[in-house]
Amino acid sequence: MQKFVVIDVETTGQLASKGDRIIEIALVVIENNQITKQYNQLINPERPIPSFISQLTSITDEDVEAQPVFDNVVPEFKDLLDKAILVAHNVPFDLTFLNEELERVGETKIQPYVVDTVELARIFLPKAPSYKLNELAEYLMISHENPHRAISDALVTADLLIMLINKLQYLPEKVINQVLSISRPLRTDFAKLCESLDHMTNRTDIEEFRGFSLKKQKETRDVETRIPQDFSKYLDEMYGDNGRLAQVYARYEKRNAQVFISEKIYDHFRMNEHALIEAETGLGKTIGYLIPAVYEALNHHNKVVISTTNTNLQSQLIDQDLAKLDLPVRTAIIKGKTHYLSLQNFEQFFHDSNYQSYQDTLLKAMIIVWLTETTTGDLDEIQFPVEKHPIFYQIVVNNGTASEIWKDYCFYQRMLNKATDASIIVTNHSLLAIDMLAEKSILPEYQRLIIDEAHQLEQMATSYLGDSLSYFELTHFYQQLEKSYGKSITFQQHLDTVKYETDILFRQLYHYVKEHNKNQKAVTDVGRLKTVWNHDKPEELVDSIYRTIMVIKELAQLFQDDSADEKNQIFRIQELLRQLLIEEKQEAVTWLEIDQQGAENAVFIHHEPFSVKDTLQEYLFRKKQSIILISATLTMNQSFHYIKERLGLDPKHSREYMVEHHFDYQNNVQLMIPNDLPAIQYPNNDDFIFAINEAIISIAEKTKGRMLVLFTSYDMLRKSYFILKETDLLMDYIIIGQGVSTGSRNRLIKQFQAFDKSILLGTNAYWQGIDIPGNDLSCLIIVKLPFQSPQDPVYIKKADYFKLQGMNPFMELALPQAVLQFKQGFGRLIRKDTDHGMIFVFDERIMTKRYGKTFIKSIPEIPIHYENMQNLLNRVSKWL
């Protein structure tokens, strides 16, 4: 009989080796999949508990003052560990602290078999949204009454372990054996865990192919039913007091604005016209456009394509929004090839003994289990840090086609087949842009298109109608070539020459960027240095470009078969280098970026056209009968002129609608603008930075945190982060900074929401697309009006182009983009009827400059207070 003991410790800090100590320990014993014993004890660490830890755990110095020290409690729990498999959620942390404490008091360190539930959850629950204990508990509906207290965490971990063992029990025997065969690098003693299994499960929903256990595809075709009513009756059935929405949404209340959106979309579908609809965030515009889309598909048999900004929103549309409506319509999601697992490539990766690191093993094990669950092969289903695992790009569908052996198991082709049969297709702006110019269309033929978050269409189209290349991409491709053809001595010699010349070229490009940033740095919002690629280049750099292109061409000529995918890809790289680094285009800009602390060849090359309106007009707006563009930010100063001009929309064939505001902004929002902060000076803005951080501290003391601070400069964000972290006045606060604190955007937002006293600092990525509703956010600070830096080299290049066209770059480029981003930032605060809060703008140009009125008129009418900081702080106290 296996005996598991779950351990959880709360500590004074993260590093046992630096003297941090245990303040609480809990043990839970599991035998026969049942919890049989519990132990919990507070411990006096004989040192102060940091305020951050007290806030996290609710354990204070007073709580532990009369508690025993560690060496006094060892006899109480040590016997429980005898002959047990030790279990913890991140076992190295708890085991290290336990052993450090044991050694400190003269006891022998323990070396048990271990099970790490973080690791096991990653493998056996590949679709879980997060692997933090409290979020796993929510996902699995495990009661977790007191997070960050040892006994509560230990009990949840125990329940999690039992669930994971049951999941392991349910897996096909072949899958268990495959994981076991590669398990050596894992933290968990997997073989020991498998001894607890008492039988194997016979799965009828699994098919075996080439050694892999795959979820069987559903063979039945969803039946679509025509909606019998006319559209007005259909709207009543959906939006009425006893309608479908009232049945599926708690506290449903009919919103006339939603009905208005549905009616206008239906009208324009019928009239074969384009429309722009601006509707505020939080209104429920998704439901507003889904209802007419379904009606159009079922009653008029027209395919409707819906485009969103990212792949996560695609899944949300299908799995949440449309699923709740429960309407009989066939749907499909279309993403780019690199979102789908190639079973052919994964087979090579799984059996390749060169990939045996911890991360490689974890990825292999996750996918082996995931293949028993997925019918789509969409890698977005896996919660794994893709960007941090280069091998991921070797296992996705690439430009090649699946071999004859695997062609019937190609997830990407299955997705395309499903889309052909679907009535509603959900894609994203990037793929929409790619599809416009593709020789062979990816999307099935359609004439009805809804573009959600349409304010991002131009930038997405600009990015994907441009080009990019990085040293990482090239080396990854060279590795693939070496793996496939490296046995040929001639090929390997040529490839070595290509790698050598590429490395020299990218090192020179790296120093080119460094040199151009010597006097004044141009930094992206993720901290990279950048410079425009001008054509006054050093001669040795030009020679290196031509040499690299020449040796790449020679490598391609080694392929006898002109249709070989690899040959075409090599020629594409050669052509891309020529276009990016040699060709001169007056209507486009090329720039280079480098990581300031990165390797001296890690260069990213980007190329974008200045305008995409002609392309969008020719390949989208003139080709499709009805396109609906919908977003919370389409107007500037109550006008759609700018967005229509940038997108190339013909005013004669499109109409515009501004949906009335639903939220009570007058009573729920206050706009506060201090008039006594130092002016923003370039390039030395230290006085401004210190002043705004003094203001942030003062505001935080009044509001008790829950603050989102939006910057336009990554450098300013970093400086502010360290100022706020170092002040004694915010000792009780969690300071989270984009690009400084570790974690993805979603993870940082969840961390922000987890603490009452928290301040989140963000740049461009945080101005839009994040949702922090309710009391989680009560104060928004906009540090500076979001104009692009006038010193930004890419902006300077674009401004020069606008001047040549006889246009004012400030009025035609800088101001409209800043206003739209400002509106997006404003929209972060009010997301629901009950939301309320205050917005501080630290840039008084919004009041003192003539163009400031454009910002004010572009947001809902709200109370504005323009006075000194002390008066504003007094207002905060009264308003709260």
Side-chain angles (χ1 to χ4, degrees):
M1 178 182 70
Q2 293 280 18
K3 174 186 171 185
F4 298 96
V5 173
V6 178
I7 183 172
D8 189 88
V9 297
E10 303 301 334
T11 64
T12 59
Q14 297 294 310
L15 298 172
S17 59
K18 295 293 177 71
D20 285 322
R21 302 279 287 275
I22 293 174
I23 57 177
E24 187 178 31
I25 185 169
L27 301 172
V28 175
V29 181
I30 302 172
E31 297 169 293
N32 286 330
N33 265 14
Q34 298 289 325
I35 295 174
T36 57
K37 294 176 186 174
Q38 299 179 33
Y39 173 81
N40 186 39
Q41 179 62 55
L42 285 168
I43 295 171
N44 187 338
E46 300 178 288
R47 65 192 54 202
I49 299 174
S51 58
F52 161 73
I53 296 297
S54 292
Q55 184 184 351
L56 180 68
T57 64
S58 74
I59 301 173
T60 65
D61 290 329
E62 291 74 18
D63 293 328
V64 299
E65 187 177 5
Q67 299 297 327
V69 294
F70 182 81
D71 50 350
N72 289 342
V73 303
V74 172
E76 297 177 6
F77 68 78
K78 197 170 184 185
D79 287 346
L80 296 178
L81 298 171
D82 188 42
K83 297 180 181 178
I85 299 173
L86 191 72
V87 181
H89 203 66
N90 187 17
V91 78
F93 178 86
D94 297 87
L95 182 55
T96 299
F97 262 98
L98 178 61
N99 274 329
E100 286 286 338
E101 292 278 22
L102 288 172
E103 184 177 47
R104 184 180 60 80
V105 300
E107 296 279 348
T108 305
K109 289 185 177 182
I110 62 171
Q111 294 181 313
Y113 291 108
V114 298
V115 168
D116 191 324
T117 52
V118 174
E119 182 179 78
L120 283 190
R122 283 195 176 279
I123 294 171
F124 296 130
L125 302 172
K127 294 184 179 182
S130 166
Y131 297 100
K132 289 189 174 181
L133 188 61
N134 58 331
E135 291 171 32
L136 271 173
E138 183 179 349
Y139 174 67
L140 297 170
M141 292 184 288
I142 301 171
S143 176
H144 195 191
E145 297 176 357
N146 204 354
H148 302 297
R149 287 302 298 266
I151 190 60
S152 181
D153 285 353
L155 287 168
V156 170
T157 303
D159 288 338
L160 172 61
L161 176 67
I162 292 169
M163 286 187 171
L164 290 170
I165 291 173
N166 290 337
K167 176 71 181 285
L168 177 60
Q169 189 87 55
Y170 181 65
L171 288 173
E173 184 176 3
K174 182 180 289 292
V175 171
I176 296 172
N177 289 334
Q178 282 176 318
V179 176
L180 187 59
S181 70
I182 62 172
S183 64
R184 184 181 294 273
L186 299 177
R187 299 169 185 164
T188 297
D189 291 297
F190 194 72
K192 199 69 180 172
L193 179 66
C194 288
E195 291 178 11
S196 63
L197 304 181
D198 54 11
H199 68 278
M200 297 299 173
T201 305
N202 182 27
R203 297 272 297 272
T204 58
D205 62 329
I206 297 294
E207 62 176 316
E208 304 290 336
F209 187 75
R210 293 184 65 83
F212 295 108
S213 301
L214 309 174
K215 181 80 171 177
K216 286 182 180 177
Q217 296 290 307
K218 192 170 75 170
E219 296 179 3
T220 56
R221 186 171 183 259
D222 294 332
V223 177
E224 292 189 331
T225 306
R226 189 174 184 275
I227 298 171
Q229 312 101 310
D230 63 28
F231 188 66
S232 60
K233 289 182 179 178
Y234 168 65
L235 287 185
D236 288 339
E237 182 185 298
M238 300 302 296
Y239 287 114
D241 292 339
N242 297 311
R244 194 180 295 268
L245 293 177
Q247 295 169 21
V248 298
Y249 289 100
R251 297 182 297 279
Y252 170 74
E253 181 180 321
K254 184 178 179 180
R255 293 180 175 178
N256 292 330
Q258 273 185 316
V259 180
F260 176 84
I261 292 170
S262 296
E263 289 173 339
K264 290 305 173 187
I265 292 175
Y266 173 76
D267 291 344
H268 282 269
F269 277 169
R270 300 277 43 82
M271 293 186 295
N272 291 332
E273 283 186 343
H274 306 324
L276 299 97
I277 303 174
E278 183 174 81
E280 65 192 359
T281 303
L283 182 66
K285 63 181 183 294
T286 303
I287 296 298
Y289 67 65
L290 280 176
I291 285 173
V294 171
Y295 189 88
E296 180 74 16
L298 294 180
N299 271 34
H300 297 283
H301 308 293
N302 288 319
K303 283 187 186 293
V304 179
V305 173
I306 299 170
S307 182
T308 67
T309 52
N310 59 58
T311 55
N312 289 336
L313 288 176
Q314 286 182 253
S315 301
Q316 182 178 311
L317 267 172
I318 297 290
D319 300 336
Q320 296 180 33
D321 301 315
L322 265 174
K324 278 188 175 181
L325 293 177
D326 192 27
L327 295 169
V329 61
R330 286 192 291 272
T331 62
I333 292 176
I334 292 188
K335 302 179 183 179
K337 289 181 178 180
T338 55
H339 289 274
Y340 296 91
L341 178 74
S342 163
L343 285 168
Q344 177 180 324
N345 293 345
F346 178 69
E347 180 184 35
Q348 296 175 359
F349 168 63
F350 184 79
H351 294 296
D352 193 332
S353 58
N354 291 319
Y355 296 106
Q356 293 184 342
S357 70
Y358 178 79
Q359 291 292 342
D360 293 332
T361 302
L362 188 59
L363 182 57
K364 287 180 182 181
M366 287 177 73
I367 292 178
I368 284 293
V369 173
W370 175 63
L371 287 174
T372 68
E373 302 175 8
T374 185
T375 57
T376 67
D378 182 350
L379 286 162
D380 290 334
E381 293 178 359
I382 295 181
Q383 301 304 320
F384 197 80
V386 178
E387 71 280 0
K388 295 180 182 177
H389 202 297
I391 199 66
F392 224 94
Y393 300 99
Q394 294 187 29
I395 61 175
V396 297
V397 175
N398 51 37
N399 292 327
T401 54
S403 67
E404 189 68 24
I405 297 172
W406 283 107
K407 69 175 184 178
D408 292 335
Y409 294 87
C410 176
F411 288 118
Y412 180 70
Q413 191 58 51
R414 284 177 177 174
M415 176 273 298
L416 293 179
N417 294 341
K418 184 178 181 183
T420 302
D421 192 44
S423 297
I424 290 185
I425 297 162
V426 181
T427 187
N428 56 72
H429 297 352
S430 301
L431 192 133
L432 186 69
I434 293 167
D435 183 68
M436 282 193 303
L437 298 179
E439 290 183 14
K440 183 180 179 183
S441 293
I442 304 166
L443 297 170
E445 178 57 34
Y446 68 96
Q447 288 298 327
R448 305 281 187 269
L449 171 64
I450 297 171
I451 303 177
D452 195 3
E453 302 296 333
H455 65 281
Q456 293 197 38
L457 176 62
E458 184 201 3
Q459 183 53 52
M460 291 286 190
T462 300
S463 298
Y464 280 86
L465 295 176
D467 281 306
S468 64
L469 189 65
S470 70
Y471 184 75
F472 170 78
E473 291 175 70
L474 289 176
T475 54
H476 161 61
F477 178 59
Y478 297 158
Q479 286 170 3
Q480 286 185 305
L481 290 177
E482 190 164 23
K483 213 158 98 176
S484 300
Y485 303 101
K487 291 179 182 177
S488 163
I489 296 175
T490 302
F491 186 91
Q492 185 64 55
Q493 288 174 340
H494 276 79
L495 182 58
D496 286 343
T497 303
V498 168
K499 289 160 67 177
Y500 175 76
E501 294 294 348
T502 301
D503 184 67
I504 289 177
L505 170 60
F506 275 78
R507 286 178 184 275
Q508 289 180 312
L509 292 174
Y510 181 94
H511 289 289
Y512 178 87
V513 179
K514 276 276 193 181
E515 183 66 26
H516 280 72
N517 279 272
K518 186 179 289 183
N519 297 324
Q520 185 173 308
K521 290 184 178 181
V523 185
T524 70
D525 65 340
V526 293
R528 288 178 182 163
L529 294 180
K530 68 177 179 180
T531 191
V532 164
W533 178 245
N534 291 313
H535 293 278
D536 54 340
K537 299 171 285 292
E539 190 173 325
E540 61 177 13
L541 179 51
V542 175
D543 290 344
S544 182
I545 295 169
Y546 280 105
R547 274 200 317 275
T548 304
I549 290 173
M550 181 185 69
V551 296
I552 289 174
K553 182 179 180 180
E554 290 173 352
L555 182 69
Q557 291 170 344
L558 294 179
F559 288 89
Q560 301 299 317
D561 182 3
D562 286 341
S563 65
D565 289 323
E566 290 86 352
K567 183 172 185 175
N568 293 332
Q569 285 179 268
I570 296 170
F571 273 130
R572 177 187 167 276
I573 289 171
Q574 173 205 333
E575 179 61 17
L576 195 53
L577 281 171
R578 188 186 66 79
Q579 290 179 0
L580 291 173
L581 300 179
I582 295 177
E583 264 192 16
E584 294 191 41
K585 292 185 179 179
Q586 296 300 318
E587 298 184 353
V589 59
T590 300
W591 74 94
L592 313 178
E593 294 180 5
I594 63 171
D595 287 320
Q596 297 188 62
Q597 308 302 323
E600 292 196 359
N601 51 18
V603 180
F604 303 83
I605 311 173
H606 299 279
H607 174 85
E608 286 184 358
F610 288 134
S611 173
V612 293
K613 69 177 183 179
D614 292 339
T615 304
L616 290 173
Q617 192 176 75
E618 180 179 355
Y619 293 98
L620 198 64
F621 296 118
R622 286 179 183 167
K623 275 193 168 185
K624 306 305 175 186
Q625 292 176 355
S626 181
I627 299 176
I628 310 297
L629 299 104
I630 188 166
S631 169
T633 48
L634 292 177
T635 65
M636 182 184 76
N637 204 5
Q638 310 295 311
S639 170
F640 287 88
H641 172 77
Y642 171 75
I643 197 76
K644 292 175 76 170
E645 171 65 22
R646 295 300 293 167
L647 295 178
L649 261 170
D650 185 348
K652 296 177 183 177
H653 297 98
S654 61
R655 298 192 187 183
E656 312 150 3
Y657 304 95
M658 290 183 67
V659 180
E660 289 186 7
H661 296 304
H662 173 77
F663 302 123
D664 185 3
Y665 289 102
Q666 274 288 339
N667 292 312
N668 288 350
V669 184
Q670 303 272 313
L671 177 58
M672 303 196 182
I673 305 157
N675 62 11
D676 56 349
L677 293 177
I680 303 168
Q681 301 289 337
Y682 291 102
N684 185 0
N685 53 18
D686 288 347
D687 289 346
F688 178 74
I689 292 174
F690 283 116
I692 66 164
N693 281 286
E694 284 182 7
I696 291 170
I697 293 167
S698 299
I699 296 167
E701 290 176 326
K702 297 286 186 183
T703 62
K704 307 302 180 188
R706 298 297 192 190
M707 294 167 56
L708 171 62
V709 187
L710 295 176
F711 292 83
T712 58
S713 158
Y714 179 73
D715 183 59
M716 195 180 291
L717 182 153
R718 281 184 62 87
K719 289 177 179 176
S720 297
Y721 173 85
F722 290 113
I723 290 171
L724 296 175
K725 285 285 284 187
E726 289 169 8
T727 178
D728 292 338
L729 297 172
L730 296 182
M731 289 289 288
D732 294 342
Y733 289 73
I734 302 298
I735 313 297
I736 304 164
Q738 174 196 354
V740 188
S741 307
T742 57
S744 65
R745 183 172 71 164
N746 286 342
R747 185 167 293 179
L748 293 184
I749 291 169
K750 286 180 179 177
Q751 187 179 349
F752 169 73
Q753 291 175 294
F755 295 93
D756 289 332
K757 292 184 175 181
S758 52
I759 302 173
L760 174 60
L761 315 180
T763 57
N764 290 350
Y766 287 73
W767 284 74
Q768 58 187 324
I770 65 171
D771 190 6
I772 311 176
N775 294 329
D776 289 345
L777 177 62
S778 57
C779 181
L780 172 71
I781 295 177
I782 293 176
V783 170
K784 191 171 87 66
L785 294 178
F787 289 108
Q788 250 187 304
S789 168
Q791 280 81 36
D792 181 274
V794 176
Y795 172 76
I796 292 171
K797 189 80 172 179
K798 289 181 179 179
D800 289 342
Y801 172 77
F802 273 76
K803 289 175 186 175
L804 289 173
Q805 306 301 309
M807 294 185 285
N808 182 329
F810 179 80
M811 298 303 295
E812 299 293 335
L813 178 66
L815 181 60
Q817 289 183 351
V819 170
L820 292 179
Q821 187 164 338
F822 181 79
K823 288 179 68 174
Q824 281 290 323
F826 177 89
R828 297 315 96 207
L829 186 64
I830 303 297
R831 315 287 290 180
K832 293 181 178 179
D833 293 330
T834 55
D835 289 355
H836 70 282
M838 63 202 72
I839 299 176
F840 277 84
V841 176
F842 288 161
D843 190 340
E844 69 171 337
R845 290 178 299 176
I846 197 171
M847 300 301 293
T848 61
K849 298 293 185 182
R850 182 180 299 176
Y851 59 72
K853 293 178 181 178
T854 306
F855 288 89
I856 299 293
K857 289 182 179 179
S858 296
I859 59 174
E861 192 173 329
I862 56 175
I864 299 174
H865 307 287
Y866 177 49
E867 48 195 336
N868 65 56
M869 194 69 212
Q870 188 55 55
N871 286 349
L872 294 177
L873 290 172
N874 293 337
R875 286 188 181 275
V876 171
S877 299
K878 292 176 183 176
W879 201 57
L880 291 175

